[in-house]
Amino acid sequence: QKEVEQNSGPLSVPEGAIASLNCTYSDRGSQSFFWYRQYSGKSPELIMFIYSNGDKEDGRFTAQLNKASQYVSLLIRDSQPSDSATYLCAAEGGKLQFGAGTQVVVTP
Amino acid sequence: KAGVTQTPRYLIKTRGQQVTLSCSPISGHRSVSWYQQTPGQGLQFLFEYFSETQRNKGNFPGRFSGRQFSNSRSEMNVSTLELGDSALYLCASSGPGLGYNEQFFGPGTRLTVL
């Protein structure tokens, strides 16, 4: 079992809708959580990080963390075709462990 | 400010050979992490260096090794290459005191083992 689990998708989202991505982790010692976006053929780029339980908003992105349930999520509001990418969830418990990623496809 | 650079960008080797990959972090960044990305296993942590010391290590065999120089540049070495080592090797650097909050990836080195 991978330490960080994500649905591989693809998650198809109509343009303008909300994309909801989920991630679970197994290491209760993980303290920090990260969401990366990776376009096809490109390197991952950090879009958000969260430490504390609750929500954290940055523009159209909202990260949610529930440590009791070992659950992290990312919401993308007003999805645009440019949001079509693979989204990687990562948990830090000393070292950074990545999930396999969820492919998001935003359809016009 | 220049980003993370990796050389070479593409590499073809045969089984049994060894390879050295290079990574130059963003100026002022002292932490360098290495990752292997494959379609089957995703992005996997190899090791992290900070101030020339290995700070963390992933679950890879001893054939994978690395080092960091005093100018924060880092190299990764893979000895006795196997077909399964074919992957995209990514290097990432982080600023002082910021940890993974400000981690930037390089473009990667695509290694093909024949």
Side-chain angles (χ1 to χ4, degrees):
Chain A
Q1 182 190 3
K2 286 183 72 74
E3 293 188 26
V4 179
E5 300 272 2
Q6 295 180 256
N7 289 327
S8 60
L11 176 66
S12 184
V13 181
E15 184 174 357
I18 295 175
S20 178
L21 290 76
N22 303 318
C23 171
T24 58
Y25 60 96
S26 60
D27 182 4
R28 283 198 173 274
S30 297
Q31 295 294 318
S32 307
F33 304 88
F34 304 84
W35 283 100
Y36 285 80
R37 176 176 62 198
Q38 186 172 24
Y39 292 112
S40 180
K42 301 293 185 183
S43 301
E45 56 178 322
L46 180 66
I47 53 175
M48 289 208 65
F49 60 86
I50 186 167
Y51 306 137
S52 305
N53 279 327
D55 296 358
K56 179 182 179 182
E57 188 174 316
D58 184 359
R60 295 187 296 111
F61 298 97
T62 299
Q64 299 172 318
L65 173 61
N66 184 325
K67 289 187 178 180
S69 300
Q70 295 176 248
Y71 175 90
V72 191
S73 66
L74 179 71
L75 300 177
I76 307 173
R77 290 183 300 281
D78 188 24
S79 295
Q80 301 298 310
S82 60
D83 294 326
S84 297
T86 296
Y87 290 79
L88 303 168
C89 171
E92 181 190 3
K95 57 189 179 186
L96 208 54
Q97 299 282 356
F98 282 84
T102 298
Q103 184 186 5
V104 172
V105 178
V106 180
T107 55
Chain B
K1 186 183 271 191
V4 179
T5 58
Q6 293 187 244
T7 56
R9 293 293 311 279
Y10 302 91
L11 207 47
I12 299 175
K13 292 285 189 179
T14 56
R15 280 181 300 173
Q17 287 188 309
Q18 70 142 22
V19 66
T20 299
L21 311 181
S22 180
C23 171
S24 292
I26 291 171
S27 178
H29 285 192
R30 293 163 62 188
S31 171
V32 173
S33 297
W34 287 90
Y35 300 87
Q36 180 196 66
Q37 188 170 36
T38 60
Q41 296 297 317
L43 195 59
Q44 293 186 284
F45 174 81
L46 280 155
F47 27 66
E48 181 199 2
Y49 286 87
F50 180 82
S51 293
E52 302 179 67
T53 300
Q54 188 179 86
R55 192 156 65 172
N56 280 302
K57 188 177 189 305
N59 299 322
F60 278 81
R63 299 185 297 107
F64 292 81
S65 63
R67 60 178 175 168
Q68 187 180 33
F69 302 96
S70 58
N71 62 358
S72 294
R73 190 178 70 84
S74 178
E75 287 182 348
M76 191 193 98
N77 184 275
V78 187
S79 62
T80 320
L81 284 165
E82 300 178 358
L83 295 179
D85 296 333
S86 294
L88 179 66
Y89 290 89
L90 291 160
C91 153
S93 75
S94 304
L98 297 172
Y100 296 118
N101 299 358
E102 285 287 336
Q103 179 173 242
F104 297 91
F105 281 84
T109 294
R110 173 74 62 184
L111 172 65
T112 301
V113 182
L114 302 176

